[in-house]
Amino acid sequence: MIREIAVIGSGTMGNGIAHVFAQHNFKVTLIDINVAQLEKAIATIAKNLERQIAKGTSTEEQKAITLNNIITSTDINRGVKNALLVIEAATENADIKLNIFKQLDETAPADCILATNTSSISITKIAAVTKRADKVIGMHFMNPVPVMKLVEIINGRETKKEVTNAIVELSKQLEKIPCVVNDAPGFIANRILMPMINEAIYSLHEGVAGVASIDTIMKLGMAHPMGPLQLADYIGLDVCLNIINVLYDGFKSEKYAPCPLLINMVNNGKLGVKSGEGFYIYQPGNKDLTVSPQFK
Ligand code: NAD
């Protein structure tokens, strides 16, 4: 039974994944090449546990147990040596991920499952750099991990059924809802979400409607919790552009061509929440949603 795991990459997703496993009594080694990032990750997990305590969904005792279940390391080889599952959540860059998987294949125990949290890189391609393609799988958590219920599980071409079943069971142990899909550009989540966001940007670009109208129509008309332009700001416009380009390249279809406005905004450093401006403007302490002056 899997009780000991390693998470590679301690950024936005890695700290959330470590948090959720540790909270469910798994022993977690959280690995990053950047020590400051590891320290920040532990502080973020502690802050998010405090938030759960304030909401009444956790206790001081559970917080202490959760933090105690996590150790950090900058040494990938030592960090994975007892793991039966490694989840890679490093930077979304194919070369970085392929190198990590080559290294993991050499150092992780032979029966260890190697999972990736990639949003868009082919699982089959990642698996192909290892000698255990049958034990490589996508385990795509959603942001923020402690809150979002879905885990999109992606079978590579050679993933064994027992491996998929083990990851499905594990996701349920984390009180998540797993959905299994097959490897294709964007999998399911981003294959459907990103063209919708791109279409919303095209509608704005063509002057069919303004930012607020597009988002309100999708929120109130389709019961989406957030409009597509606000969601794009939240995800990061650079991340959206990368994923749309993965669909465009993967399917070789004009249907997925990124909107010129999106390309322009990314070139111009308007990346959404993280840069302070996208379709809306974001200022510390201001909770009101204000449309960027560019679109007024
Ligand atoms: P991030 O930039 O916040 O964190 C990435 C971390 O990886 C950094 O701390 C970096 O130091 C570390 N890293 C880079 N190279 C490394 C290496 N060789 N070994 C160990 N650590 C290394 O990124 P993120 O947003 O957490 O995304 C991580 C993965 O999760 C990506 O594949 C991304 O596509 C996917 N994802 C992201 C989201 C999201 O909303 N952010 C949602 C779902 C999936």
Side-chain angles (χ1 to χ4, degrees):
M1 202 165 82
I2 297 174
R3 291 309 318 169
E4 202 164 326
I5 72 144
V7 178
I8 317 256
S10 66
T12 310
M13 297 305 285
N15 81 61
I17 295 168
H19 173 146
V20 168
F21 273 96
Q23 199 162 31
H24 290 83
N25 274 320
F26 289 81
K27 295 282 177 205
V28 180
T29 305
L30 182 57
I31 300 163
D32 206 293
I33 41 171
N34 181 340
V35 183
Q37 189 66 45
L38 283 170
E39 284 164 6
K40 192 170 153 210
I42 297 296
T44 302
I45 295 169
K47 197 179 75 200
N48 289 338
L49 284 163
E50 285 293 341
R51 203 171 282 166
Q52 291 179 324
I53 294 170
K55 273 203 274 173
T57 56
S58 191
T59 61
E60 285 293 345
E61 191 194 355
Q62 282 168 346
K63 177 186 166 195
I65 294 172
T66 302
L67 291 173
N68 202 36
N69 278 337
I70 305 173
I71 57 169
T72 59
S73 175
T74 50
D75 182 343
I76 193 168
N77 294 342
R78 280 181 48 203
V80 305
K81 76 175 191 301
N82 295 319
L84 284 182
L85 168 67
V86 178
I87 302 168
E88 172 277 317
T91 312
E92 185 76 346
N93 170 299
D95 289 340
I96 291 177
K97 290 195 192 286
L98 296 182
N99 280 331
I100 290 175
F101 273 77
K102 270 184 217 156
Q103 193 175 353
L104 286 176
D105 192 36
E106 281 162 20
T107 51
D111 50 354
C112 177
I113 296 173
L114 305 182
T116 171
N117 188 52
T118 179
S119 303
S120 62
I121 299 167
S122 160
I123 308 303
T124 308
K125 180 174 170 175
I126 292 174
V129 300
T130 73
K131 296 189 189 69
R132 59 176 101 182
D134 57 337
K135 293 192 187 66
V136 176
I137 193 162
M139 196 173 186
H140 185 199
F141 289 85
M142 305 292 134
N143 185 19
V145 184
V147 176
M148 298 290 278
K149 283 281 172 204
L150 177 70
V151 182
E152 185 181 33
I153 296 174
I154 307 114
N155 285 322
R157 233 190 144 87
E158 299 200 17
T159 311
K160 257 198 319 209
K161 192 142 193 56
E162 299 82 75
V163 170
T164 311
N165 292 344
I167 297 300
V168 165
E169 283 315 308
L170 204 61
S171 304
K172 289 183 186 163
Q173 283 178 41
L174 302 175
E175 298 176 85
K176 300 289 185 201
I177 299 176
C179 280
V180 179
V181 310
N182 293 319
D183 194 15
F187 318 132
I188 287 295
N190 282 318
R191 177 170 180 172
I192 296 174
L193 174 65
M194 289 302 165
M196 181 187 74
I197 285 176
N198 199 36
E199 204 56 36
I201 301 171
Y202 265 117
S203 307
L204 177 68
H205 184 56
E206 292 167 7
V208 182
V211 170
S213 298
I214 292 170
D215 275 356
T216 304
I217 286 167
M218 296 307 287
K219 259 166 73 178
L220 301 186
M222 316 301 151
H224 289 192
M226 207 185 259
L229 300 173
Q230 188 188 357
L231 181 58
D233 274 358
Y234 179 69
I235 294 170
L237 300 191
D238 51 343
V239 174
C240 292
L241 180 59
N242 280 341
I243 299 177
I244 289 168
N245 275 328
V246 166
L247 297 175
Y248 191 33
D249 293 344
F251 291 113
K252 308 271 181 268
S253 163
E254 285 304 312
K255 180 170 139 184
Y256 301 102
C259 177
L261 173 60
L262 174 62
I263 298 172
N264 251 318
M265 288 176 76
V266 172
N267 286 342
N268 203 12
K270 303 274 161 56
L271 306 180
V273 177
K274 65 181 155 192
S275 74
E277 185 176 345
F279 297 104
Y280 297 88
I281 47 175
Y282 303 89
Q283 278 151 354
N286 180 7
K287 291 211 163 123
D288 294 341
L289 204 52
T290 311
V291 173
S292 157
Q294 190 188 343
F295 301 112
K296 278 189 172 155

PDB file of all heavy atoms in Angstrom, residues 35-62:
ATOM      1  N   VAL A  35      15.793  26.370  -2.509  1.00  0.00           N
ATOM      2  CA  VAL A  35      15.542  26.278  -1.061  1.00  0.00           C
ATOM      3  C   VAL A  35      14.511  27.310  -0.605  1.00  0.00           C
ATOM      4  O   VAL A  35      13.616  27.000   0.199  1.00  0.00           O
ATOM      5  CB  VAL A  35      16.850  26.515  -0.252  1.00  0.00           C
ATOM      6  CG1 VAL A  35      16.613  26.346   1.234  1.00  0.00           C
ATOM      7  CG2 VAL A  35      17.928  25.557  -0.691  1.00  0.00           C
ATOM      8  N   ALA A  36      14.633  28.531  -1.138  1.00  0.00           N
ATOM      9  CA  ALA A  36      13.707  29.592  -0.728  1.00  0.00           C
ATOM     10  C   ALA A  36      12.270  29.188  -1.077  1.00  0.00           C
ATOM     11  O   ALA A  36      11.326  29.445  -0.320  1.00  0.00           O
ATOM     12  CB  ALA A  36      14.080  30.897  -1.421  1.00  0.00           C
ATOM     13  N   GLN A  37      12.128  28.535  -2.214  1.00  0.00           N
ATOM     14  CA  GLN A  37      10.797  28.092  -2.653  1.00  0.00           C
ATOM     15  C   GLN A  37      10.241  27.027  -1.705  1.00  0.00           C
ATOM     16  O   GLN A  37       9.048  27.018  -1.399  1.00  0.00           O
ATOM     17  CB  GLN A  37      10.928  27.541  -4.082  1.00  0.00           C
ATOM     18  CG  GLN A  37       9.623  27.228  -4.770  1.00  0.00           C
ATOM     19  CD  GLN A  37       8.781  28.457  -5.049  1.00  0.00           C
ATOM     20  OE1 GLN A  37       9.289  29.473  -5.515  1.00  0.00           O
ATOM     21  NE2 GLN A  37       7.496  28.377  -4.740  1.00  0.00           N
ATOM     22  N   LEU A  38      11.119  26.160  -1.206  1.00  0.00           N
ATOM     23  CA  LEU A  38      10.681  25.126  -0.249  1.00  0.00           C
ATOM     24  C   LEU A  38      10.209  25.776   1.050  1.00  0.00           C
ATOM     25  O   LEU A  38       9.174  25.393   1.609  1.00  0.00           O
ATOM     26  CB  LEU A  38      11.829  24.151   0.046  1.00  0.00           C
ATOM     27  CG  LEU A  38      12.111  23.111  -1.042  1.00  0.00           C
ATOM     28  CD1 LEU A  38      13.423  22.366  -0.751  1.00  0.00           C
ATOM     29  CD2 LEU A  38      10.962  22.113  -1.167  1.00  0.00           C
ATOM     30  N   GLU A  39      10.965  26.786   1.500  1.00  0.00           N
ATOM     31  CA  GLU A  39      10.572  27.479   2.744  1.00  0.00           C
ATOM     32  C   GLU A  39       9.234  28.183   2.554  1.00  0.00           C
ATOM     33  O   GLU A  39       8.356  28.130   3.403  1.00  0.00           O
ATOM     34  CB  GLU A  39      11.646  28.502   3.147  1.00  0.00           C
ATOM     35  CG  GLU A  39      12.866  27.809   3.756  1.00  0.00           C
ATOM     36  CD  GLU A  39      14.104  28.709   3.814  1.00  0.00           C
ATOM     37  OE1 GLU A  39      13.997  29.917   3.495  1.00  0.00           O
ATOM     38  OE2 GLU A  39      15.174  28.180   4.156  1.00  0.00           O
ATOM     39  N   LYS A  40       9.089  28.790   1.386  1.00  0.00           N
ATOM     40  CA  LYS A  40       7.837  29.495   1.083  1.00  0.00           C
ATOM     41  C   LYS A  40       6.667  28.491   1.038  1.00  0.00           C
ATOM     42  O   LYS A  40       5.564  28.780   1.514  1.00  0.00           O
ATOM     43  CB  LYS A  40       8.002  30.202  -0.272  1.00  0.00           C
ATOM     44  CG  LYS A  40       6.916  31.179  -0.585  1.00  0.00           C
ATOM     45  CD  LYS A  40       7.281  32.001  -1.807  1.00  0.00           C
ATOM     46  CE  LYS A  40       6.016  32.472  -2.496  1.00  0.00           C
ATOM     47  NZ  LYS A  40       6.170  32.645  -3.928  1.00  0.00           N
ATOM     48  N   ALA A  41       6.942  27.314   0.486  1.00  0.00           N
ATOM     49  CA  ALA A  41       5.884  26.293   0.361  1.00  0.00           C
ATOM     50  C   ALA A  41       5.380  25.861   1.732  1.00  0.00           C
ATOM     51  O   ALA A  41       4.171  25.761   1.957  1.00  0.00           O
ATOM     52  CB  ALA A  41       6.412  25.082  -0.419  1.00  0.00           C
ATOM     53  N   ILE A  42       6.304  25.634   2.668  1.00  0.00           N
ATOM     54  CA  ILE A  42       5.885  25.206   4.015  1.00  0.00           C
ATOM     55  C   ILE A  42       5.080  26.324   4.684  1.00  0.00           C
ATOM     56  O   ILE A  42       4.047  26.073   5.311  1.00  0.00           O
ATOM     57  CB  ILE A  42       7.117  24.808   4.882  1.00  0.00           C
ATOM     58  CG1 ILE A  42       7.822  23.595   4.257  1.00  0.00           C
ATOM     59  CG2 ILE A  42       6.710  24.528   6.331  1.00  0.00           C
ATOM     60  CD1 ILE A  42       7.005  22.312   4.205  1.00  0.00           C
ATOM     61  N   ALA A  43       5.521  27.575   4.495  1.00  0.00           N
ATOM     62  CA  ALA A  43       4.782  28.709   5.082  1.00  0.00           C
ATOM     63  C   ALA A  43       3.374  28.786   4.465  1.00  0.00           C
ATOM     64  O   ALA A  43       2.391  29.044   5.164  1.00  0.00           O
ATOM     65  CB  ALA A  43       5.550  30.006   4.849  1.00  0.00           C
ATOM     66  N   THR A  44       3.283  28.543   3.163  1.00  0.00           N
ATOM     67  CA  THR A  44       1.969  28.585   2.497  1.00  0.00           C
ATOM     68  C   THR A  44       1.058  27.477   3.023  1.00  0.00           C
ATOM     69  O   THR A  44      -0.126  27.697   3.289  1.00  0.00           O
ATOM     70  CB  THR A  44       2.152  28.419   0.962  1.00  0.00           C
ATOM     71  OG1 THR A  44       3.005  29.449   0.509  1.00  0.00           O
ATOM     72  CG2 THR A  44       0.827  28.483   0.219  1.00  0.00           C
ATOM     73  N   ILE A  45       1.629  26.280   3.188  1.00  0.00           N
ATOM     74  CA  ILE A  45       0.814  25.159   3.693  1.00  0.00           C
ATOM     75  C   ILE A  45       0.300  25.496   5.102  1.00  0.00           C
ATOM     76  O   ILE A  45      -0.880  25.297   5.410  1.00  0.00           O
ATOM     77  CB  ILE A  45       1.638  23.840   3.680  1.00  0.00           C
ATOM     78  CG1 ILE A  45       1.981  23.447   2.243  1.00  0.00           C
ATOM     79  CG2 ILE A  45       0.873  22.713   4.386  1.00  0.00           C
ATOM     80  CD1 ILE A  45       2.996  22.323   2.107  1.00  0.00           C
ATOM     81  N   ALA A  46       1.200  26.057   5.952  1.00  0.00           N
ATOM     82  CA  ALA A  46       0.794  26.416   7.324  1.00  0.00           C
ATOM     83  C   ALA A  46      -0.328  27.459   7.280  1.00  0.00           C
ATOM     84  O   ALA A  46      -1.335  27.349   7.992  1.00  0.00           O
ATOM     85  CB  ALA A  46       1.996  26.940   8.104  1.00  0.00           C
ATOM     86  N   LYS A  47      -0.190  28.436   6.384  1.00  0.00           N
ATOM     87  CA  LYS A  47      -1.207  29.502   6.276  1.00  0.00           C
ATOM     88  C   LYS A  47      -2.551  28.908   5.791  1.00  0.00           C
ATOM     89  O   LYS A  47      -3.610  29.236   6.319  1.00  0.00           O
ATOM     90  CB  LYS A  47      -0.704  30.556   5.277  1.00  0.00           C
ATOM     91  CG  LYS A  47      -1.427  31.886   5.377  1.00  0.00           C
ATOM     92  CD  LYS A  47      -0.885  32.907   4.399  1.00  0.00           C
ATOM     93  CE  LYS A  47      -1.363  32.592   3.011  1.00  0.00           C
ATOM     94  NZ  LYS A  47      -0.618  33.166   1.914  1.00  0.00           N
ATOM     95  N   ASN A  48      -2.475  28.000   4.828  1.00  0.00           N
ATOM     96  CA  ASN A  48      -3.713  27.399   4.318  1.00  0.00           C
ATOM     97  C   ASN A  48      -4.368  26.492   5.360  1.00  0.00           C
ATOM     98  O   ASN A  48      -5.592  26.389   5.424  1.00  0.00           O
ATOM     99  CB  ASN A  48      -3.440  26.636   3.021  1.00  0.00           C
ATOM    100  CG  ASN A  48      -3.151  27.589   1.876  1.00  0.00           C
ATOM    101  OD1 ASN A  48      -3.540  28.760   1.923  1.00  0.00           O
ATOM    102  ND2 ASN A  48      -2.467  27.114   0.846  1.00  0.00           N
ATOM    103  N   LEU A  49      -3.544  25.845   6.213  1.00  0.00           N
ATOM    104  CA  LEU A  49      -4.113  25.033   7.303  1.00  0.00           C
ATOM    105  C   LEU A  49      -4.809  25.937   8.310  1.00  0.00           C
ATOM    106  O   LEU A  49      -5.894  25.613   8.805  1.00  0.00           O
ATOM    107  CB  LEU A  49      -3.008  24.207   7.972  1.00  0.00           C
ATOM    108  CG  LEU A  49      -2.539  22.981   7.172  1.00  0.00           C
ATOM    109  CD1 LEU A  49      -1.189  22.484   7.696  1.00  0.00           C
ATOM    110  CD2 LEU A  49      -3.572  21.855   7.235  1.00  0.00           C
ATOM    111  N   GLU A  50      -4.203  27.100   8.584  1.00  0.00           N
ATOM    112  CA  GLU A  50      -4.832  28.080   9.495  1.00  0.00           C
ATOM    113  C   GLU A  50      -6.206  28.483   8.949  1.00  0.00           C
ATOM    114  O   GLU A  50      -7.171  28.618   9.690  1.00  0.00           O
ATOM    115  CB  GLU A  50      -3.970  29.354   9.618  1.00  0.00           C
ATOM    116  CG  GLU A  50      -2.725  29.206  10.466  1.00  0.00           C
ATOM    117  CD  GLU A  50      -3.039  28.963  11.947  1.00  0.00           C
ATOM    118  OE1 GLU A  50      -4.154  29.250  12.384  1.00  0.00           O
ATOM    119  OE2 GLU A  50      -2.131  28.454  12.637  1.00  0.00           O
ATOM    120  N   ARG A  51      -6.244  28.691   7.654  1.00  0.00           N
ATOM    121  CA  ARG A  51      -7.504  29.079   7.009  1.00  0.00           C
ATOM    122  C   ARG A  51      -8.563  27.973   7.205  1.00  0.00           C
ATOM    123  O   ARG A  51      -9.718  28.245   7.483  1.00  0.00           O
ATOM    124  CB  ARG A  51      -7.220  29.284   5.514  1.00  0.00           C
ATOM    125  CG  ARG A  51      -8.206  30.172   4.840  1.00  0.00           C
ATOM    126  CD  ARG A  51      -7.777  30.507   3.443  1.00  0.00           C
ATOM    127  NE  ARG A  51      -6.749  31.524   3.383  1.00  0.00           N
ATOM    128  CZ  ARG A  51      -6.023  31.802   2.297  1.00  0.00           C
ATOM    129  NH1 ARG A  51      -6.212  31.119   1.188  1.00  0.00           N
ATOM    130  NH2 ARG A  51      -5.132  32.764   2.310  1.00  0.00           N
ATOM    131  N   GLN A  52      -8.104  26.707   7.058  1.00  0.00           N
ATOM    132  CA  GLN A  52      -9.034  25.592   7.254  1.00  0.00           C
ATOM    133  C   GLN A  52      -9.518  25.544   8.708  1.00  0.00           C
ATOM    134  O   GLN A  52     -10.688  25.262   8.964  1.00  0.00           O
ATOM    135  CB  GLN A  52      -8.357  24.265   6.880  1.00  0.00           C
ATOM    136  CG  GLN A  52      -8.087  24.145   5.375  1.00  0.00           C
ATOM    137  CD  GLN A  52      -7.393  22.830   4.998  1.00  0.00           C
ATOM    138  OE1 GLN A  52      -6.557  22.314   5.725  1.00  0.00           O
ATOM    139  NE2 GLN A  52      -7.761  22.288   3.844  1.00  0.00           N
ATOM    140  N   ILE A  53      -8.609  25.846   9.658  1.00  0.00           N
ATOM    141  CA  ILE A  53      -9.007  25.844  11.083  1.00  0.00           C
ATOM    142  C   ILE A  53     -10.071  26.931  11.302  1.00  0.00           C
ATOM    143  O   ILE A  53     -11.102  26.688  11.920  1.00  0.00           O
ATOM    144  CB  ILE A  53      -7.784  26.075  12.003  1.00  0.00           C
ATOM    145  CG1 ILE A  53      -6.813  24.892  11.897  1.00  0.00           C
ATOM    146  CG2 ILE A  53      -8.225  26.269  13.460  1.00  0.00           C
ATOM    147  CD1 ILE A  53      -5.459  25.106  12.565  1.00  0.00           C
ATOM    148  N   ALA A  54      -9.825  28.107  10.718  1.00  0.00           N
ATOM    149  CA  ALA A  54     -10.783  29.219  10.885  1.00  0.00           C
ATOM    150  C   ALA A  54     -12.154  28.846  10.310  1.00  0.00           C
ATOM    151  O   ALA A  54     -13.193  29.264  10.823  1.00  0.00           O
ATOM    152  CB  ALA A  54     -10.234  30.469  10.205  1.00  0.00           C
ATOM    153  N   LYS A  55     -12.144  28.029   9.242  1.00  0.00           N
ATOM    154  CA  LYS A  55     -13.425  27.614   8.640  1.00  0.00           C
ATOM    155  C   LYS A  55     -14.054  26.433   9.365  1.00  0.00           C
ATOM    156  O   LYS A  55     -15.151  25.989   9.041  1.00  0.00           O
ATOM    157  CB  LYS A  55     -13.173  27.196   7.180  1.00  0.00           C
ATOM    158  CG  LYS A  55     -13.228  28.373   6.206  1.00  0.00           C
ATOM    159  CD  LYS A  55     -13.541  27.924   4.787  1.00  0.00           C
ATOM    160  CE  LYS A  55     -12.287  27.521   4.056  1.00  0.00           C
ATOM    161  NZ  LYS A  55     -12.448  26.930   2.757  1.00  0.00           N
ATOM    162  N   GLY A  56     -13.307  25.859  10.301  1.00  0.00           N
ATOM    163  CA  GLY A  56     -13.815  24.713  11.057  1.00  0.00           C
ATOM    164  C   GLY A  56     -13.619  23.380  10.346  1.00  0.00           C
ATOM    165  O   GLY A  56     -14.197  22.365  10.741  1.00  0.00           O
ATOM    166  N   THR A  57     -12.790  23.350   9.285  1.00  0.00           N
ATOM    167  CA  THR A  57     -12.592  22.084   8.571  1.00  0.00           C
ATOM    168  C   THR A  57     -11.279  21.387   8.978  1.00  0.00           C
ATOM    169  O   THR A  57     -10.941  20.348   8.451  1.00  0.00           O
ATOM    170  CB  THR A  57     -12.597  22.295   7.037  1.00  0.00           C
ATOM    171  OG1 THR A  57     -11.595  23.263   6.719  1.00  0.00           O
ATOM    172  CG2 THR A  57     -13.939  22.785   6.525  1.00  0.00           C
ATOM    173  N   SER A  58     -10.532  21.993   9.905  1.00  0.00           N
ATOM    174  CA  SER A  58      -9.336  21.343  10.435  1.00  0.00           C
ATOM    175  C   SER A  58      -9.127  21.806  11.866  1.00  0.00           C
ATOM    176  O   SER A  58      -9.866  22.672  12.363  1.00  0.00           O
ATOM    177  CB  SER A  58      -8.120  21.684   9.556  1.00  0.00           C
ATOM    178  OG  SER A  58      -7.023  20.866   9.926  1.00  0.00           O
ATOM    179  N   THR A  59      -8.165  21.210  12.553  1.00  0.00           N
ATOM    180  CA  THR A  59      -7.905  21.579  13.952  1.00  0.00           C
ATOM    181  C   THR A  59      -6.414  21.850  14.122  1.00  0.00           C
ATOM    182  O   THR A  59      -5.609  21.486  13.262  1.00  0.00           O
ATOM    183  CB  THR A  59      -8.283  20.414  14.897  1.00  0.00           C
ATOM    184  OG1 THR A  59      -7.456  19.291  14.544  1.00  0.00           O
ATOM    185  CG2 THR A  59      -9.747  20.038  14.784  1.00  0.00           C
ATOM    186  N   GLU A  60      -6.064  22.452  15.269  1.00  0.00           N
ATOM    187  CA  GLU A  60      -4.645  22.703  15.567  1.00  0.00           C
ATOM    188  C   GLU A  60      -3.879  21.385  15.553  1.00  0.00           C
ATOM    189  O   GLU A  60      -2.746  21.313  15.071  1.00  0.00           O
ATOM    190  CB  GLU A  60      -4.492  23.386  16.939  1.00  0.00           C
ATOM    191  CG  GLU A  60      -4.873  24.851  16.955  1.00  0.00           C
ATOM    192  CD  GLU A  60      -3.938  25.748  16.142  1.00  0.00           C
ATOM    193  OE1 GLU A  60      -2.833  25.305  15.788  1.00  0.00           O
ATOM    194  OE2 GLU A  60      -4.352  26.891  15.827  1.00  0.00           O
ATOM    195  N   GLU A  61      -4.500  20.336  16.083  1.00  0.00           N
ATOM    196  CA  GLU A  61      -3.830  19.031  16.157  1.00  0.00           C
ATOM    197  C   GLU A  61      -3.563  18.487  14.744  1.00  0.00           C
ATOM    198  O   GLU A  61      -2.460  18.024  14.437  1.00  0.00           O
ATOM    199  CB  GLU A  61      -4.714  18.077  16.965  1.00  0.00           C
ATOM    200  CG  GLU A  61      -3.993  16.792  17.334  1.00  0.00           C
ATOM    201  CD  GLU A  61      -4.939  15.706  17.831  1.00  0.00           C
ATOM    202  OE1 GLU A  61      -6.147  15.972  17.982  1.00  0.00           O
ATOM    203  OE2 GLU A  61      -4.434  14.577  18.033  1.00  0.00           O
ATOM    204  N   GLN A  62      -4.586  18.599  13.875  1.00  0.00           N
ATOM    205  CA  GLN A  62      -4.402  18.126  12.483  1.00  0.00           C
ATOM    206  C   GLN A  62      -3.345  18.953  11.759  1.00  0.00           C
ATOM    207  O   GLN A  62      -2.588  18.438  10.943  1.00  0.00           O
ATOM    208  CB  GLN A  62      -5.724  18.187  11.719  1.00  0.00           C
ATOM    209  CG  GLN A  62      -6.642  17.035  12.059  1.00  0.00           C
ATOM    210  CD  GLN A  62      -8.058  17.234  11.530  1.00  0.00           C
ATOM    211  OE1 GLN A  62      -8.439  18.332  11.129  1.00  0.00           O
ATOM    212  NE2 GLN A  62      -8.826  16.170  11.526  1.00  0.00           N
TER     213      GLN A  62
END
